[in-house]
Amino acid sequence: MEIDKATRHAKITGNFGESIILYLLSKHGFESANVDHTGIDIISRNKKTGELMGISVKARSKTEKAKGSYIGVPNKHFKKVDEACKAFGCIPYFAFVSDEVDKIHIFILSQEELLKIHPQRESISTWTMSEKAVEEYQKNPKIISFVFDYKNINWW
């Protein structure tokens, strides 16, 4: 099925990404709050480690043509995340939500781990979504990973 995105789809995708991360954290006992702050979208207490996480959520909705493409994080965004986390006493984290047409991949990891895997380039760090990269992320014990498979049964 061809995807024909609405004009506000990017904003709705961002809201969905934040909501699904909040949902998953809550489902697993993490106390979390959605925050409207430069650099981070969620503050969450990690139930397992006790650390306070400042999470920047990056969500993208891909067409069939863009399936497997990366999610970019501009280098200047890392400074914003660091500043917000310093202000709130958080450890910087990132969450990536990628709607890959028939699957939604979700990853949560520390900024430190993100930059080990994908160091900053000239102006951007890229979270690669190729099949090989996704397999590697799912094997990494420092990356929390979810995948939702779905299909459209009926549609207009």
Side-chain angles (χ1 to χ4, degrees):
M1 178 174 87
E2 188 173 323
I3 296 172
D4 183 20
K5 297 177 184 179
T7 57
R8 295 192 69 240
H9 190 68
K11 169 71 173 151
I12 292 166
T13 300
N15 291 345
F16 169 76
E18 291 175 19
S19 294
I20 194 74
I21 296 301
L22 279 167
Y23 170 81
L24 291 169
L25 292 168
S26 175
K27 182 177 179 178
H28 294 280
F30 289 51
E31 295 299 332
S32 306
N34 198 357
V35 296
D36 182 12
H37 198 281
T38 303
I40 59 174
D41 304 296
I42 297 170
I43 294 177
S44 184
R45 176 74 61 190
N46 185 322
K47 183 180 177 181
K48 304 294 182 187
T49 66
E51 64 188 1
L52 190 61
M53 305 181 323
I55 305 171
S56 178
V57 179
K58 299 297 178 196
R60 299 294 181 272
S61 176
K62 313 279 184 72
T63 61
E64 186 67 40
K65 191 175 183 179
K67 190 176 179 179
S69 62
Y70 69 87
I71 298 174
V73 181
N75 289 346
K76 63 184 179 183
H77 186 68
F78 290 100
K79 183 177 181 193
K80 293 175 184 178
V81 172
D82 288 338
E83 289 172 356
C85 286
K86 184 178 178 183
F88 292 105
C90 303
I91 297 170
Y93 271 77
F94 277 80
F96 294 96
V97 179
S98 185
D99 180 353
E100 297 284 325
V101 181
D102 59 351
K103 294 177 194 250
I104 298 174
H105 290 281
I106 298 171
F107 304 98
I108 305 171
L109 69 160
S110 69
Q111 178 176 289
E112 178 181 14
E113 187 66 17
L114 168 60
L115 292 173
K116 279 183 192 171
I117 297 168
H118 297 293
Q120 293 176 338
R121 296 186 192 170
E122 287 180 32
S123 63
I124 195 166
S125 178
T126 58
W127 183 255
T128 306
M129 286 300 302
S130 67
E131 285 184 36
K132 181 180 177 189
V134 168
E135 287 175 17
E136 291 301 312
Y137 301 151
Q138 291 171 341
K139 291 178 192 174
N140 186 333
K142 294 183 178 180
I143 301 174
I144 304 304
S145 174
F146 296 89
V147 65
F148 295 93
D149 292 309
Y150 68 93
K151 64 181 176 177
N152 292 338
I153 304 301
N154 292 315
W155 194 250
W156 286 275

